[in-house]
Amino acid sequence: MRIVNNIALILSIIGGINWGLIGLFKFDLVAWICGGQDSILSRIIYTVVGLAAIWCISLLFNNRTAEE
């Protein structure tokens, strides 16, 4: 389960960096790499990053006693 958590966290960080680039420079890195916002590949990446962010919500409510 730790691997899934780490992957979700990495994908959420990538999404956050992309949103930061959009906010600061109006530059969408995912769209630039994949050929536009409407391409299938970009939509897949946006969906996977969104699902990872939803997964990371569950990390907020995990029992932290095992890690401490």
Side-chain angles (χ1 to χ4, degrees):
M1 202 57 132
R2 184 179 170 125
I3 293 172
V4 174
N5 291 345
N6 286 340
I7 291 171
L9 184 59
I10 289 168
L11 289 172
S12 295
I13 291 169
I14 290 169
I17 291 170
N18 193 52
W19 274 109
L21 289 171
I22 292 169
L24 292 173
F25 306 112
K26 295 184 181 179
F27 178 70
D28 188 346
L29 182 64
V30 173
W32 181 73
I33 290 172
C34 299
Q37 287 182 334
D38 294 332
S39 75
I40 274 294
L41 185 57
S42 337
R43 294 185 69 202
I44 291 170
I45 292 172
Y46 293 140
T47 302
V48 170
V49 169
L51 291 172
I54 291 170
W55 181 268
C56 285
I57 292 171
S58 71
L59 299 178
L60 292 172
F61 303 106
N62 275 351
N63 185 5
R64 296 175 189 257
T65 58
E67 294 176 8
E68 295 173 356

